[in-house]
Amino acid sequence: MLLSTLWLMGAVACSTEELATEPEPLETPLETQQQAIELDNGLSANGLSANGLSANGLSANGLSANGLSLESFRLWFTQAPAHADMVMQYVVRCALPAGETLTYTHLLPHQTFTWHGGLGLAPVWASGQPIPLAEQQLITGCMAAHVNKYGASVLISVLGKTSAGQTIPYTDAELRDHSVKEACFFGNLFTNEGVFYGNDSRLLSDKESSTRACVLSSEHPNAVNECPPMVYAMACDRICVRQPNAPFYTTCTWRGITYRPITTRIRPSEIYKCGDGVCQFTESCGRGDTTHSCQKDCGRCP
């Protein structure tokens, strides 16, 4: 239901008073604006869980042939406005380019929400046309990349190509700052195929933890998936094709289906280690030297 909603973005004639897109002047030049390069990922894990997108029909019903009515969107939004607002921020950020916005006025209570574009991964969908397969996959990967198990806001480097084949802009400084290769995200929530991820570097040891727990967790990913309904596949370099001379993958093939993925990188400071003298929120007290029992940082449990 949710992703179908944005089918209305270009078809604003349905209700220009309720849901519309409009250009917004860039506050800074493109080369200095990092919105399409470095994004905070505060989307909590339940944004893709049974309490979020899936339960609202996104993966169960896919994309209806005629899009989604404005009335259906209102009903979905009314159920949990704060959650819906949070999810729409990331959907629009992924789909629309920087400088464009989607505005929605909710009637009861009367409140206007404005969501800003960023990556421009889905130009066809954003224009009001039915969403093509490539954009379904890219929006799925982008939404998954922004999931954070803790609901924390962490700057991540988002890399890949739009459905039109344009590379998401990045700089050498960005790659240096976000030097830890993190993951590839792919799948298709529109067709109920699921959403998957793979690690793009080593998994964390049992002494390490991260604010980005979904991918590099010290848990064994084949046994425990940190952020359902996202499912761990395997290491990216085993199932994906890397763009030559570029820091991202162009395709990932899983269970016989080839997807267009989103690749992410994070800063080294997002990885913590038991014994560094700071009790992080990802660590627990105990008698050992592991993340879940870190006496050196968090002391013994009462």
Side-chain angles (χ1 to χ4, degrees):
M1 180 182 293
L2 171 62
L3 290 185
S4 301
T5 300
L6 286 191
W7 187 89
L8 293 171
M9 287 194 300
V12 295
C14 295
S15 178
T16 55
E17 295 180 356
E18 296 292 338
L19 190 63
T21 53
E22 58 184 12
E24 179 180 273
L26 295 177
E27 296 180 358
T28 58
L30 181 61
E31 58 268 22
T32 60
Q33 185 183 36
Q34 298 297 305
Q35 187 175 15
I37 300 174
E38 192 177 48
L39 302 173
D40 68 271
N41 67 106
L43 179 60
S44 61
N46 68 7
L48 288 172
S49 72
N51 294 324
L53 306 188
S54 299
N56 288 302
L58 181 146
S59 61
N61 298 332
L63 188 67
S64 62
N66 296 317
L68 184 70
S69 71
L70 189 60
E71 183 59 32
S72 296
F73 180 82
R74 290 197 193 100
L75 291 174
W76 171 77
F77 208 94
T78 300
Q79 292 176 8
H83 176 75
D85 176 39
M86 179 268 295
V87 172
M88 288 298 293
Q89 289 181 38
Y90 290 95
V91 174
V92 175
R93 177 182 294 181
C94 291
L96 270 64
E100 292 189 10
T101 61
L102 178 67
T103 298
Y104 168 66
T105 299
H106 196 56
L107 299 181
L108 295 173
H110 189 277
Q111 186 175 0
T112 297
F113 298 87
T114 299
W115 305 297
H116 299 267
L119 294 168
L121 296 177
V124 174
W125 194 26
S127 71
Q129 302 177 59
I131 184 169
L133 178 62
E135 294 186 3
Q136 293 176 19
Q137 296 175 353
L138 286 170
I139 293 297
T140 297
C142 184
M143 291 292 289
H146 285 87
V147 167
N148 186 290
K149 176 183 178 181
Y150 303 108
S153 181
V154 178
L155 288 176
I156 60 174
S157 173
V158 179
L159 304 164
K161 288 189 174 182
T162 70
S163 64
Q166 298 176 330
T167 298
I168 299 173
Y170 63 89
T171 64
D172 290 340
E174 175 191 349
L175 299 183
R176 288 194 301 269
D177 291 342
H178 297 74
S179 59
V180 178
K181 297 178 182 178
E182 186 194 30
C184 50
F185 296 90
F186 56 94
N188 195 330
L189 288 167
F190 292 80
T191 57
N192 201 29
E193 291 169 13
V195 56
F196 312 97
Y197 61 90
N199 56 298
D200 198 22
S201 62
R202 68 172 181 84
L203 295 173
L204 302 182
S205 72
D206 59 3
K207 295 183 179 182
E208 297 172 304
S209 60
S210 175
T211 52
R212 291 278 292 174
C214 294
V215 180
L216 302 181
S217 170
S218 58
E219 301 286 353
H220 298 291
N222 288 321
V224 178
N225 287 292
E226 288 289 315
C227 302
M230 296 196 300
V231 176
Y232 177 81
M234 60 177 64
C236 302
D237 59 8
R238 296 180 59 188
I239 55 176
C240 303
V241 176
R242 188 177 290 276
Q243 174 75 11
N245 303 314
F248 58 85
Y249 297 96
T250 55
T251 61
C252 293
T253 301
W254 182 244
R255 296 177 179 174
I257 302 176
T258 298
Y259 298 95
R260 296 196 183 194
I262 291 297
T263 307
T264 57
R265 296 165 69 108
I266 60 175
R267 298 173 296 187
S269 59
E270 303 303 340
I271 297 178
Y272 309 135
K273 187 173 182 178
C274 177
D276 62 11
V278 179
C279 184
Q280 306 289 354
F281 72 93
T282 57
E283 298 175 330
S284 302
C285 59
R287 295 174 178 265
D289 61 355
T290 68
T291 293
H292 301 297
S293 178
C294 186
Q295 180 176 343
K296 291 182 180 180
D297 295 350
C298 302
R300 293 190 178 188
C301 296

